[in-house]
Structure formats: structure tokens, C-alpha cells
Amino acid sequence: MSDDPFAASDSILVAADPETVFAFLDDPANHAAITPGLTDVRNVEPLENGGKRLSYTYRMAGMGIDGEIVQTVHDPPERHVFDLRGRLTGTIDLRLAPAEGGTELTYGATYGLPENTLTRLGAPVIRRFNERQLRAALENVAARFDEG
């Protein structure tokens, strides 16, 4: 992992093949269901690369942050890359690889937060927050397939 306090990365085994996991992650409504704090996904537009552009609202520390996500890489069944634009900036990189028992899903992210009380809390607090959010999203994806 990077020393950047706004970067986080983690992996999990998902009990489904990469094609199925990729298709699940290709639906923006599923991101709202698995990502803590993501409260609204709207204005979804298809892009020529197979990805999507959409608007979102993310709640952090009681405040809503609106922005746009543009999928820059749509490489079935191996990779999704999203650029976050607006007050919350960054990149989300989802990589899928076949593994015994299903798919190894790796979630890497780098975030740029708006300057406010959150960023003044300091790097260790921000790093732990990002790592917890990312881990929760991975566990939520895995749980969707464990239920089936």
C-alpha cells in the first residue's frame, strides 16, 4: 500500500466466477447497495468504452458530497477503473482474477477529500477511515454471493 493517507487497497475471495462478479459490479445500483456512505446514484449514461458516467451523493461525517464518476476502464471480466470528479476526487480500481473457489476481488482507491475538518484530522484518521470503508465494500460484495 502507498504511504499516501488517501490511498487504500485490499482483496477478498468472492464465491462466484469473474464474469458474474464483473457483471454485478457493472451495475451502478449495486455500488449504492454495497458502498457505505453512497446514498444516491443517478443520471447514468453509457460510454463508448462500455463503461458509464453517473452522478452520485456520498455521505461523510453527516454531510452529503455530490460528484460525478466516469468509468475510464471497462475490461470484462478483469477490471473496472473509475475517476471521481467534483469535491471528492480520486480513482477506484477494481481488479478481478480467477481463484480457487471463485474470484479474487482487489479494490484499490486513492481519494482527494475537500479541505475541511476531516482533512485536518490528520493522515492516520483518514487512512483508517478509507481502509474501513473499502473493506466494508469488499465484504458486502462477498456477502451478496455467499447468500446465493
Side-chain angles (χ1 to χ4, degrees), residues 35-58:
T35 305
L38 186 60
T39 60
D40 187 32
V41 172
R42 59 195 176 280
N43 304 327
V44 178
E45 301 172 19
L47 299 174
E48 287 185 21
N49 69 359
K52 294 160 190 69
R53 173 190 318 270
L54 58 93
S55 299
Y56 70 90
T57 301
Y58 184 81

Side-chain angles (χ1 to χ4, degrees), residues 8-25:
S9 181
D10 202 350
S11 298
I12 198 164
L13 180 65
V14 179
D17 61 82
E19 292 79 9
T20 301
V21 178
F22 187 94
F24 175 81
L25 294 170

Side-chain angles (χ1 to χ4, degrees), residues 125-145:
V125 172
I126 293 167
R127 179 185 294 277
R128 283 191 302 275
F129 175 81
N130 287 341
E131 289 171 349
R132 280 193 311 270
Q133 295 292 96
L134 187 144
R135 186 69 198 169
L138 284 171
E139 289 173 355
N140 289 340
V141 172
R144 292 291 171 130
F145 292 98

